[in-house]
Amino acid sequence: EVQLVESGGGLVQPGGSLRLSCVASGFMFSGYDMSWVRRAPGKELEWVSSIEKNGRSTYYADSVKGRFTISRDDAKNTLYLGLSSLKTEDTAMYHCAKGGGAWTTSATADRGQGTQVTVSS
C-alpha cells in the first residue's frame, strides 16, 4: 500500500521560508518521479513541482519558479520542498504525490493527506 506522509507546514509571515518533507513507503521510491501539489481555499488542486527519479531534472509551476526548490533523498525515501519568499497566495494544503507532472492532480493519483502552509502577517 502506498503511503505518503507530509510534515513541516505552519504559519509564516510573508517573505518567510519553510521546508516541507514527505516520507514515502509501500513502493520503490527511487524508481519514481515525485511531485508536490497544493490546494488553496476554494480552489482546485494545482500542480507545483516535480522531480525525476535520480533527481536529474526538476520542474516548477510559473507561480513558484525561483522561490521553491524540490529535492529528494532516496536513501531516506523522502521528498522535500523548500519554500522561500512566501506570499499570501501560497497559503494552501500541500500534498506530495507519486509520479510526475500535472496528472498528479487527478483523482487516481496517489497523494498524502497534506500539510498546511499559511502565509499571513
Side-chain angles (χ1 to χ4, degrees), residues 35-85:
S35 299
W36 287 94
V37 301
R38 67 184 181 185
R39 188 191 298 273
K43 296 191 175 180
E44 300 287 324
L45 268 176
E46 174 191 19
W47 171 78
V48 174
S49 181
S50 295
I51 185 168
E52 292 185 350
K53 55 187 177 183
N54 297 323
R56 278 189 289 240
S57 294
T58 57
Y59 307 90
Y60 298 93
D62 287 344
S63 58
V64 307
K65 199 173 293 182
R67 301 188 298 119
F68 290 9
T69 303
I70 191 171
S71 60
R72 63 192 296 162
D73 185 338
D74 288 348
K76 296 182 178 180
N77 283 2
T78 302
L79 179 72
Y80 301 100
L81 185 69
L83 293 69
S84 63
S85 301

mmCIF file of all heavy atoms in Angstrom, residues 35-85:
data_model
loop_
_atom_site.group_PDB
_atom_site.id
_atom_site.type_symbol
_atom_site.label_atom_id
_atom_site.label_comp_id
_atom_site.label_asym_id
_atom_site.label_seq_id
_atom_site.Cartn_x
_atom_site.Cartn_y
_atom_site.Cartn_z
ATOM 1 N N SER A 35 6.181 14.399 -7.020
ATOM 2 C CA SER A 35 5.658 15.758 -7.210
ATOM 3 C C SER A 35 5.096 16.336 -5.922
ATOM 4 O O SER A 35 4.820 15.611 -4.958
ATOM 5 C CB SER A 35 4.526 15.734 -8.250
ATOM 6 O OG SER A 35 4.971 15.278 -9.496
ATOM 7 N N TRP A 36 4.910 17.639 -5.939
ATOM 8 C CA TRP A 36 4.132 18.356 -4.940
ATOM 9 C C TRP A 36 2.967 19.046 -5.647
ATOM 10 O O TRP A 36 3.141 19.618 -6.736
ATOM 11 C CB TRP A 36 4.975 19.410 -4.227
ATOM 12 C CG TRP A 36 5.977 18.856 -3.274
ATOM 13 C CD1 TRP A 36 7.295 18.570 -3.543
ATOM 14 C CD2 TRP A 36 5.762 18.496 -1.904
ATOM 15 N NE1 TRP A 36 7.896 18.062 -2.420
ATOM 16 C CE2 TRP A 36 6.980 18.008 -1.400
ATOM 17 C CE3 TRP A 36 4.662 18.546 -1.052
ATOM 18 C CZ2 TRP A 36 7.134 17.578 -0.079
ATOM 19 C CZ3 TRP A 36 4.809 18.122 0.261
ATOM 20 C CH2 TRP A 36 6.024 17.635 0.733
ATOM 21 N N VAL A 37 1.804 18.970 -5.016
ATOM 22 C CA VAL A 37 0.636 19.687 -5.499
ATOM 23 C C VAL A 37 0.055 20.436 -4.309
ATOM 24 O O VAL A 37 0.374 20.146 -3.165
ATOM 25 C CB VAL A 37 -0.412 18.742 -6.120
ATOM 26 C CG1 VAL A 37 0.190 17.966 -7.291
ATOM 27 C CG2 VAL A 37 -0.970 17.777 -5.085
ATOM 28 N N ARG A 38 -0.824 21.404 -4.555
ATOM 29 C CA ARG A 38 -1.420 22.160 -3.454
ATOM 30 C C ARG A 38 -2.855 22.542 -3.775
ATOM 31 O O ARG A 38 -3.241 22.633 -4.943
ATOM 32 C CB ARG A 38 -0.606 23.421 -3.155
ATOM 33 C CG ARG A 38 -0.632 24.483 -4.253
ATOM 34 C CD ARG A 38 0.279 25.645 -3.890
ATOM 35 N NE ARG A 38 0.246 26.687 -4.920
ATOM 36 C CZ ARG A 38 1.008 27.774 -4.912
ATOM 37 N NH1 ARG A 38 1.884 27.975 -3.921
ATOM 38 N NH2 ARG A 38 0.907 28.667 -5.878
ATOM 39 N N ARG A 39 -3.627 22.742 -2.701
ATOM 40 C CA ARG A 39 -4.996 23.206 -2.850
ATOM 41 C C ARG A 39 -5.197 24.406 -1.951
ATOM 42 O O ARG A 39 -5.149 24.281 -0.715
ATOM 43 C CB ARG A 39 -6.006 22.120 -2.487
ATOM 44 C CG ARG A 39 -7.440 22.518 -2.822
ATOM 45 C CD ARG A 39 -8.451 21.566 -2.224
ATOM 46 N NE ARG A 39 -8.317 20.223 -2.718
ATOM 47 C CZ ARG A 39 -8.887 19.755 -3.822
ATOM 48 N NH1 ARG A 39 -9.620 20.560 -4.575
ATOM 49 N NH2 ARG A 39 -8.744 18.487 -4.179
ATOM 50 N N ALA A 40 -5.422 25.563 -2.576
ATOM 51 C CA ALA A 40 -5.732 26.781 -1.828
ATOM 52 C C ALA A 40 -7.208 26.782 -1.465
ATOM 53 O O ALA A 40 -8.011 26.106 -2.134
ATOM 54 C CB ALA A 40 -5.384 28.007 -2.671
ATOM 55 N N PRO A 41 -7.597 27.515 -0.452
ATOM 56 C CA PRO A 41 -9.005 27.548 -0.046
ATOM 57 C C PRO A 41 -9.923 27.909 -1.212
ATOM 58 O O PRO A 41 -9.718 28.927 -1.879
ATOM 59 C CB PRO A 41 -9.029 28.621 1.037
ATOM 60 C CG PRO A 41 -7.652 28.631 1.585
ATOM 61 C CD PRO A 41 -6.749 28.343 0.433
ATOM 62 N N GLY A 42 -10.914 27.067 -1.468
ATOM 63 C CA GLY A 42 -11.899 27.346 -2.502
ATOM 64 C C GLY A 42 -11.419 27.146 -3.927
ATOM 65 O O GLY A 42 -12.119 27.513 -4.870
ATOM 66 N N LYS A 43 -10.237 26.553 -4.092
ATOM 67 C CA LYS A 43 -9.689 26.383 -5.449
ATOM 68 C C LYS A 43 -9.417 24.914 -5.753
ATOM 69 O O LYS A 43 -9.455 24.060 -4.872
ATOM 70 C CB LYS A 43 -8.409 27.213 -5.592
ATOM 71 C CG LYS A 43 -8.625 28.713 -5.471
ATOM 72 C CD LYS A 43 -7.395 29.484 -5.888
ATOM 73 C CE LYS A 43 -7.652 30.981 -5.872
ATOM 74 N NZ LYS A 43 -6.448 31.749 -6.288
ATOM 75 N N GLU A 44 -9.140 24.649 -7.033
ATOM 76 C CA GLU A 44 -8.808 23.303 -7.469
ATOM 77 C C GLU A 44 -7.369 22.955 -7.072
ATOM 78 O O GLU A 44 -6.556 23.842 -6.785
ATOM 79 C CB GLU A 44 -8.926 23.221 -8.995
ATOM 80 C CG GLU A 44 -10.307 23.533 -9.546
ATOM 81 C CD GLU A 44 -11.264 22.394 -9.268
ATOM 82 O OE1 GLU A 44 -10.837 21.232 -9.319
ATOM 83 O OE2 GLU A 44 -12.450 22.689 -8.991
ATOM 84 N N LEU A 45 -7.074 21.662 -7.077
ATOM 85 C CA LEU A 45 -5.693 21.224 -6.892
ATOM 86 C C LEU A 45 -4.819 21.815 -7.985
ATOM 87 O O LEU A 45 -5.199 21.837 -9.163
ATOM 88 C CB LEU A 45 -5.604 19.707 -6.964
ATOM 89 C CG LEU A 45 -5.710 18.910 -5.672
ATOM 90 C CD1 LEU A 45 -5.707 17.424 -5.985
ATOM 91 C CD2 LEU A 45 -4.603 19.250 -4.706
ATOM 92 N N GLU A 46 -3.628 22.273 -7.584
ATOM 93 C CA GLU A 46 -2.690 22.900 -8.511
ATOM 94 C C GLU A 46 -1.358 22.158 -8.437
ATOM 95 O O GLU A 46 -0.807 21.969 -7.340
ATOM 96 C CB GLU A 46 -2.482 24.367 -8.121
ATOM 97 C CG GLU A 46 -1.416 25.091 -8.916
ATOM 98 C CD GLU A 46 -1.059 26.452 -8.329
ATOM 99 O OE1 GLU A 46 -1.350 26.695 -7.143
ATOM 100 O OE2 GLU A 46 -0.460 27.269 -9.053
ATOM 101 N N TRP A 47 -0.841 21.751 -9.582
ATOM 102 C CA TRP A 47 0.497 21.163 -9.617
ATOM 103 C C TRP A 47 1.520 22.242 -9.296
ATOM 104 O O TRP A 47 1.433 23.366 -9.808
ATOM 105 C CB TRP A 47 0.768 20.565 -10.997
ATOM 106 C CG TRP A 47 2.184 20.133 -11.181
ATOM 107 C CD1 TRP A 47 2.779 18.990 -10.704
ATOM 108 C CD2 TRP A 47 3.205 20.840 -11.880
ATOM 109 N NE1 TRP A 47 4.094 18.955 -11.068
ATOM 110 C CE2 TRP A 47 4.384 20.081 -11.794
ATOM 111 C CE3 TRP A 47 3.240 22.058 -12.569
ATOM 112 C CZ2 TRP A 47 5.585 20.482 -12.375
ATOM 113 C CZ3 TRP A 47 4.424 22.469 -13.142
ATOM 114 C CH2 TRP A 47 5.586 21.680 -13.052
ATOM 115 N N VAL A 48 2.497 21.903 -8.447
ATOM 116 C CA VAL A 48 3.502 22.859 -8.003
ATOM 117 C C VAL A 48 4.887 22.535 -8.579
ATOM 118 O O VAL A 48 5.561 23.407 -9.129
ATOM 119 C CB VAL A 48 3.587 22.885 -6.462
ATOM 120 C CG1 VAL A 48 4.742 23.765 -5.987
ATOM 121 C CG2 VAL A 48 2.267 23.361 -5.865
ATOM 122 N N SER A 49 5.301 21.279 -8.453
ATOM 123 C CA SER A 49 6.669 20.932 -8.837
ATOM 124 C C SER A 49 6.816 19.423 -8.970
ATOM 125 O O SER A 49 6.088 18.666 -8.312
ATOM 126 C CB SER A 49 7.653 21.443 -7.769
ATOM 127 O OG SER A 49 8.983 21.152 -8.116
ATOM 128 N N SER A 50 7.747 18.988 -9.800
ATOM 129 C CA SER A 50 8.072 17.574 -9.954
ATOM 130 C C SER A 50 9.587 17.390 -10.026
ATOM 131 O O SER A 50 10.303 18.302 -10.452
ATOM 132 C CB SER A 50 7.447 16.986 -11.217
ATOM 133 O OG SER A 50 6.036 16.991 -11.159
ATOM 134 N N ILE A 51 10.020 16.198 -9.646
ATOM 135 C CA ILE A 51 11.428 15.835 -9.745
ATOM 136 C C ILE A 51 11.521 14.437 -10.325
ATOM 137 O O ILE A 51 10.763 13.542 -9.949
ATOM 138 C CB ILE A 51 12.124 15.920 -8.359
ATOM 139 C CG1 ILE A 51 13.620 15.657 -8.476
ATOM 140 C CG2 ILE A 51 11.477 14.979 -7.341
ATOM 141 C CD1 ILE A 51 14.397 16.009 -7.203
ATOM 142 N N GLU A 52 12.429 14.273 -11.278
ATOM 143 C CA GLU A 52 12.597 12.969 -11.899
ATOM 144 C C GLU A 52 13.286 12.009 -10.929
ATOM 145 O O GLU A 52 13.984 12.427 -10.009
ATOM 146 C CB GLU A 52 13.394 13.093 -13.186
ATOM 147 C CG GLU A 52 12.640 13.827 -14.281
ATOM 148 C CD GLU A 52 13.383 13.835 -15.602
ATOM 149 O OE1 GLU A 52 14.566 13.444 -15.631
ATOM 150 O OE2 GLU A 52 12.781 14.247 -16.610
ATOM 151 N N LYS A 53 13.100 10.693 -11.180
ATOM 152 C CA LYS A 53 13.837 9.710 -10.393
ATOM 153 C C LYS A 53 15.328 9.988 -10.580
ATOM 154 O O LYS A 53 15.752 10.458 -11.625
ATOM 155 C CB LYS A 53 13.476 8.299 -10.829
ATOM 156 C CG LYS A 53 13.649 8.027 -12.286
ATOM 157 C CD LYS A 53 13.091 6.645 -12.629
ATOM 158 C CE LYS A 53 13.203 6.396 -14.120
ATOM 159 N NZ LYS A 53 12.609 5.091 -14.507
ATOM 160 N N ASN A 54 16.096 9.786 -9.569
ATOM 161 C CA ASN A 54 17.513 10.123 -9.512
ATOM 162 C C ASN A 54 17.767 11.627 -9.401
ATOM 163 O O ASN A 54 18.905 12.057 -9.313
ATOM 164 C CB ASN A 54 18.307 9.574 -10.707
ATOM 165 C CG ASN A 54 18.291 8.061 -10.741
ATOM 166 O OD1 ASN A 54 18.348 7.425 -9.689
ATOM 167 N ND2 ASN A 54 18.184 7.491 -11.921
ATOM 168 N N GLY A 55 16.717 12.430 -9.416
ATOM 169 C CA GLY A 55 16.858 13.859 -9.189
ATOM 170 C C GLY A 55 17.535 14.642 -10.302
ATOM 171 O O GLY A 55 17.941 15.787 -10.091
ATOM 172 N N ARG A 56 17.638 14.069 -11.484
ATOM 173 C CA ARG A 56 18.408 14.730 -12.552
ATOM 174 C C ARG A 56 17.740 15.989 -13.069
ATOM 175 O O ARG A 56 18.401 16.942 -13.462
ATOM 176 C CB ARG A 56 18.646 13.755 -13.694
ATOM 177 C CG ARG A 56 19.819 12.822 -13.443
ATOM 178 C CD ARG A 56 20.157 12.019 -14.664
ATOM 179 N NE ARG A 56 19.116 11.019 -14.916
ATOM 180 C CZ ARG A 56 19.358 9.715 -14.940
ATOM 181 N NH1 ARG A 56 20.567 9.263 -14.739
ATOM 182 N NH2 ARG A 56 18.383 8.867 -15.183
ATOM 183 N N SER A 57 16.394 16.001 -13.084
ATOM 184 C CA SER A 57 15.690 17.174 -13.594
ATOM 185 C C SER A 57 14.548 17.547 -12.659
ATOM 186 O O SER A 57 13.920 16.672 -12.055
ATOM 187 C CB SER A 57 15.140 16.898 -14.993
ATOM 188 O OG SER A 57 16.182 16.710 -15.917
ATOM 189 N N THR A 58 14.303 18.845 -12.571
ATOM 190 C CA THR A 58 13.203 19.359 -11.759
ATOM 191 C C THR A 58 12.355 20.310 -12.600
ATOM 192 O O THR A 58 12.840 20.908 -13.573
ATOM 193 C CB THR A 58 13.731 20.107 -10.527
ATOM 194 O OG1 THR A 58 14.597 21.165 -10.952
ATOM 195 C CG2 THR A 58 14.508 19.172 -9.605
ATOM 196 N N TYR A 59 11.090 20.446 -12.212
ATOM 197 C CA TYR A 59 10.138 21.245 -12.961
ATOM 198 C C TYR A 59 9.271 22.024 -11.971
ATOM 199 O O TYR A 59 8.934 21.503 -10.904
ATOM 200 C CB TYR A 59 9.244 20.349 -13.823
ATOM 201 C CG TYR A 59 10.034 19.409 -14.699
ATOM 202 C CD1 TYR A 59 10.395 18.145 -14.243
ATOM 203 C CD2 TYR A 59 10.446 19.795 -15.972
ATOM 204 C CE1 TYR A 59 11.142 17.288 -15.039
ATOM 205 C CE2 TYR A 59 11.197 18.943 -16.772
ATOM 206 C CZ TYR A 59 11.542 17.692 -16.294
ATOM 207 O OH TYR A 59 12.293 16.849 -17.074
ATOM 208 N N TYR A 60 8.902 23.249 -12.351
ATOM 209 C CA TYR A 60 8.148 24.112 -11.445
ATOM 210 C C TYR A 60 7.034 24.836 -12.187
ATOM 211 O O TYR A 60 7.194 25.228 -13.352
ATOM 212 C CB TYR A 60 9.073 25.165 -10.820
ATOM 213 C CG TYR A 60 10.173 24.579 -9.980
ATOM 214 C CD1 TYR A 60 11.422 24.318 -10.528
ATOM 215 C CD2 TYR A 60 9.960 24.270 -8.637
ATOM 216 C CE1 TYR A 60 12.439 23.765 -9.761
ATOM 217 C CE2 TYR A 60 10.969 23.721 -7.868
ATOM 218 C CZ TYR A 60 12.202 23.467 -8.441
ATOM 219 O OH TYR A 60 13.203 22.909 -7.683
ATOM 220 N N ALA A 61 5.926 25.060 -11.482
ATOM 221 C CA ALA A 61 4.894 25.953 -11.985
ATOM 222 C C ALA A 61 5.459 27.362 -12.034
ATOM 223 O O ALA A 61 6.298 27.735 -11.202
ATOM 224 C CB ALA A 61 3.668 25.895 -11.084
ATOM 225 N N ASP A 62 4.992 28.153 -12.980
ATOM 226 C CA ASP A 62 5.482 29.530 -13.114
ATOM 227 C C ASP A 62 5.279 30.327 -11.830
ATOM 228 O O ASP A 62 6.089 31.197 -11.503
ATOM 229 C CB ASP A 62 4.777 30.226 -14.275
ATOM 230 C CG ASP A 62 5.244 29.721 -15.631
ATOM 231 O OD1 ASP A 62 6.310 29.073 -15.697
ATOM 232 O OD2 ASP A 62 4.537 29.979 -16.623
ATOM 233 N N SER A 63 4.206 30.013 -11.105
ATOM 234 C CA SER A 63 3.866 30.777 -9.911
ATOM 235 C C SER A 63 4.869 30.596 -8.771
ATOM 236 O O SER A 63 4.907 31.410 -7.850
ATOM 237 C CB SER A 63 2.465 30.392 -9.420
ATOM 238 O OG SER A 63 2.404 29.008 -9.153
ATOM 239 N N VAL A 64 5.687 29.534 -8.825
ATOM 240 C CA VAL A 64 6.629 29.278 -7.730
ATOM 241 C C VAL A 64 8.073 29.237 -8.207
ATOM 242 O O VAL A 64 8.989 29.128 -7.381
ATOM 243 C CB VAL A 64 6.294 27.953 -6.999
ATOM 244 C CG1 VAL A 64 4.837 27.947 -6.556
ATOM 245 C CG2 VAL A 64 6.607 26.741 -7.857
ATOM 246 N N LYS A 65 8.296 29.335 -9.489
ATOM 247 C CA LYS A 65 9.651 29.235 -10.046
ATOM 248 C C LYS A 65 10.542 30.309 -9.443
ATOM 249 O O LYS A 65 10.160 31.484 -9.354
ATOM 250 C CB LYS A 65 9.579 29.366 -11.566
ATOM 251 C CG LYS A 65 10.780 28.843 -12.305
ATOM 252 C CD LYS A 65 10.534 28.852 -13.803
ATOM 253 C CE LYS A 65 9.458 27.866 -14.199
ATOM 254 N NZ LYS A 65 9.237 27.825 -15.668
ATOM 255 N N GLY A 66 11.725 29.875 -9.021
ATOM 256 C CA GLY A 66 12.669 30.812 -8.412
ATOM 257 C C GLY A 66 12.486 31.002 -6.918
ATOM 258 O O GLY A 66 13.334 31.604 -6.251
ATOM 259 N N ARG A 67 11.387 30.483 -6.372
ATOM 260 C CA ARG A 67 11.115 30.621 -4.931
ATOM 261 C C ARG A 67 11.068 29.270 -4.216
ATOM 262 O O ARG A 67 11.403 29.201 -3.036
ATOM 263 C CB ARG A 67 9.792 31.357 -4.709
ATOM 264 C CG ARG A 67 9.738 32.743 -5.316
ATOM 265 C CD ARG A 67 8.483 33.483 -4.906
ATOM 266 N NE ARG A 67 7.268 32.815 -5.356
ATOM 267 C CZ ARG A 67 6.321 32.360 -4.533
ATOM 268 N NH1 ARG A 67 6.441 32.478 -3.232
ATOM 269 N NH2 ARG A 67 5.226 31.769 -5.035
ATOM 270 N N PHE A 68 10.640 28.236 -4.915
ATOM 271 C CA PHE A 68 10.522 26.904 -4.325
ATOM 272 C C PHE A 68 11.600 25.993 -4.907
ATOM 273 O O PHE A 68 11.993 26.147 -6.068
ATOM 274 C CB PHE A 68 9.155 26.296 -4.618
ATOM 275 C CG PHE A 68 7.989 26.941 -3.910
ATOM 276 C CD1 PHE A 68 8.114 28.117 -3.186
ATOM 277 C CD2 PHE A 68 6.729 26.348 -3.969
ATOM 278 C CE1 PHE A 68 7.046 28.698 -2.547
ATOM 279 C CE2 PHE A 68 5.643 26.912 -3.327
ATOM 280 C CZ PHE A 68 5.799 28.085 -2.619
ATOM 281 N N THR A 69 12.053 25.021 -4.100
ATOM 282 C CA THR A 69 13.065 24.061 -4.541
ATOM 283 C C THR A 69 12.655 22.659 -4.132
ATOM 284 O O THR A 69 12.474 22.375 -2.942
ATOM 285 C CB THR A 69 14.433 24.390 -3.928
ATOM 286 O OG1 THR A 69 14.812 25.729 -4.260
ATOM 287 C CG2 THR A 69 15.490 23.423 -4.458
ATOM 288 N N ILE A 70 12.513 21.787 -5.128
ATOM 289 C CA ILE A 70 12.176 20.389 -4.859
ATOM 290 C C ILE A 70 13.459 19.568 -4.827
ATOM 291 O O ILE A 70 14.390 19.826 -5.592
ATOM 292 C CB ILE A 70 11.186 19.849 -5.908
ATOM 293 C CG1 ILE A 70 10.615 18.499 -5.485
ATOM 294 C CG2 ILE A 70 11.833 19.777 -7.287
ATOM 295 C CD1 ILE A 70 9.458 18.023 -6.381
ATOM 296 N N SER A 71 13.499 18.594 -3.922
ATOM 297 C CA SER A 71 14.666 17.718 -3.837
ATOM 298 C C SER A 71 14.220 16.379 -3.247
ATOM 299 O O SER A 71 13.088 16.249 -2.774
ATOM 300 C CB SER A 71 15.779 18.338 -2.987
ATOM 301 O OG SER A 71 15.332 18.587 -1.671
ATOM 302 N N ARG A 72 15.117 15.395 -3.270
ATOM 303 C CA ARG A 72 14.786 14.086 -2.737
ATOM 304 C C ARG A 72 16.013 13.431 -2.156
ATOM 305 O O ARG A 72 17.139 13.712 -2.577
ATOM 306 C CB ARG A 72 14.167 13.203 -3.839
ATOM 307 C CG ARG A 72 15.112 12.906 -4.992
ATOM 308 C CD ARG A 72 14.348 12.291 -6.177
ATOM 309 N NE ARG A 72 13.778 11.002 -5.819
ATOM 310 C CZ ARG A 72 12.800 10.419 -6.514
ATOM 311 N NH1 ARG A 72 12.286 11.014 -7.581
ATOM 312 N NH2 ARG A 72 12.327 9.241 -6.144
ATOM 313 N N ASP A 73 15.792 12.533 -1.197
ATOM 314 C CA ASP A 73 16.838 11.708 -0.609
ATOM 315 C C ASP A 73 16.353 10.268 -0.709
ATOM 316 O O ASP A 73 15.536 9.826 0.113
ATOM 317 C CB ASP A 73 17.086 12.115 0.837
ATOM 318 C CG ASP A 73 18.251 11.372 1.471
ATOM 319 O OD1 ASP A 73 18.598 10.280 0.986
ATOM 320 O OD2 ASP A 73 18.795 11.861 2.468
ATOM 321 N N ASP A 74 16.835 9.559 -1.716
ATOM 322 C CA ASP A 74 16.352 8.203 -1.941
ATOM 323 C C ASP A 74 16.759 7.250 -0.814
ATOM 324 O O ASP A 74 16.067 6.260 -0.567
ATOM 325 C CB ASP A 74 16.859 7.689 -3.288
ATOM 326 C CG ASP A 74 16.172 8.355 -4.477
ATOM 327 O OD1 ASP A 74 15.154 9.045 -4.251
ATOM 328 O OD2 ASP A 74 16.647 8.200 -5.617
ATOM 329 N N ALA A 75 17.864 7.523 -0.143
ATOM 330 C CA ALA A 75 18.291 6.666 0.971
ATOM 331 C C ALA A 75 17.302 6.739 2.127
ATOM 332 O O ALA A 75 17.181 5.794 2.917
ATOM 333 C CB ALA A 75 19.674 7.069 1.439
ATOM 334 N N LYS A 76 16.594 7.860 2.237
ATOM 335 C CA LYS A 76 15.614 8.065 3.304
ATOM 336 C C LYS A 76 14.173 7.975 2.816
ATOM 337 O O LYS A 76 13.239 8.225 3.578
ATOM 338 C CB LYS A 76 15.837 9.435 3.962
ATOM 339 C CG LYS A 76 17.173 9.575 4.658
ATOM 340 C CD LYS A 76 17.308 10.930 5.316
ATOM 341 C CE LYS A 76 18.633 11.070 6.057
ATOM 342 N NZ LYS A 76 18.780 12.398 6.702
ATOM 343 N N ASN A 77 13.985 7.649 1.538
ATOM 344 C CA ASN A 77 12.629 7.605 0.962
ATOM 345 C C ASN A 77 11.860 8.890 1.251
ATOM 346 O O ASN A 77 10.670 8.862 1.611
ATOM 347 C CB ASN A 77 11.847 6.406 1.518
ATOM 348 C CG ASN A 77 12.267 5.095 0.876
ATOM 349 O OD1 ASN A 77 13.162 5.051 0.032
ATOM 350 N ND2 ASN A 77 11.640 4.016 1.306
ATOM 351 N N THR A 78 12.530 10.004 1.092
ATOM 352 C CA THR A 78 11.948 11.281 1.477
ATOM 353 C C THR A 78 12.043 12.308 0.355
ATOM 354 O O THR A 78 13.081 12.461 -0.287
ATOM 355 C CB THR A 78 12.620 11.828 2.749
ATOM 356 O OG1 THR A 78 12.474 10.873 3.803
ATOM 357 C CG2 THR A 78 11.980 13.142 3.191
ATOM 358 N N LEU A 79 10.935 13.005 0.161
ATOM 359 C CA LEU A 79 10.815 14.103 -0.795
ATOM 360 C C LEU A 79 10.734 15.404 -0.013
ATOM 361 O O LEU A 79 10.121 15.451 1.054
ATOM 362 C CB LEU A 79 9.546 13.918 -1.634
ATOM 363 C CG LEU A 79 9.223 14.975 -2.676
ATOM 364 C CD1 LEU A 79 10.196 14.853 -3.859
ATOM 365 C CD2 LEU A 79 7.781 14.799 -3.163
ATOM 366 N N TYR A 80 11.355 16.457 -0.532
ATOM 367 C CA TYR A 80 11.359 17.747 0.136
ATOM 368 C C TYR A 80 10.845 18.841 -0.785
ATOM 369 O O TYR A 80 10.924 18.739 -2.016
ATOM 370 C CB TYR A 80 12.783 18.128 0.577
ATOM 371 C CG TYR A 80 13.430 17.154 1.509
ATOM 372 C CD1 TYR A 80 14.350 16.215 1.037
ATOM 373 C CD2 TYR A 80 13.139 17.156 2.868
ATOM 374 C CE1 TYR A 80 14.957 15.319 1.894
ATOM 375 C CE2 TYR A 80 13.742 16.249 3.735
ATOM 376 C CZ TYR A 80 14.652 15.343 3.232
ATOM 377 O OH TYR A 80 15.244 14.440 4.087
ATOM 378 N N LEU A 81 10.352 19.920 -0.171
ATOM 379 C CA LEU A 81 10.038 21.137 -0.917
ATOM 380 C C LEU A 81 10.454 22.322 -0.054
ATOM 381 O O LEU A 81 9.904 22.525 1.022
ATOM 382 C CB LEU A 81 8.547 21.235 -1.257
ATOM 383 C CG LEU A 81 8.179 22.421 -2.146
ATOM 384 C CD1 LEU A 81 8.751 22.225 -3.553
ATOM 385 C CD2 LEU A 81 6.656 22.592 -2.230
ATOM 386 N N GLY A 82 11.451 23.051 -0.519
ATOM 387 C CA GLY A 82 11.862 24.273 0.148
ATOM 388 C C GLY A 82 11.049 25.441 -0.385
ATOM 389 O O GLY A 82 10.941 25.612 -1.607
ATOM 390 N N LEU A 83 10.462 26.197 0.519
ATOM 391 C CA LEU A 83 9.640 27.336 0.145
ATOM 392 C C LEU A 83 10.307 28.601 0.689
ATOM 393 O O LEU A 83 10.619 28.665 1.879
ATOM 394 C CB LEU A 83 8.240 27.227 0.745
ATOM 395 C CG LEU A 83 7.278 26.138 0.291
ATOM 396 C CD1 LEU A 83 7.719 24.756 0.723
ATOM 397 C CD2 LEU A 83 5.874 26.409 0.813
ATOM 398 N N SER A 84 10.524 29.573 -0.161
ATOM 399 C CA SER A 84 11.106 30.838 0.280
ATOM 400 C C SER A 84 10.363 32.002 -0.373
ATOM 401 O O SER A 84 9.567 31.791 -1.288
ATOM 402 C CB SER A 84 12.600 30.895 -0.058
ATOM 403 O OG SER A 84 12.786 30.839 -1.458
ATOM 404 N N SER A 85 10.619 33.204 0.134
ATOM 405 C CA SER A 85 9.930 34.414 -0.357
ATOM 406 C C SER A 85 8.431 34.167 -0.438
ATOM 407 O O SER A 85 7.777 34.482 -1.443
ATOM 408 C CB SER A 85 10.483 34.814 -1.738
ATOM 409 O OG SER A 85 11.866 35.052 -1.671
#
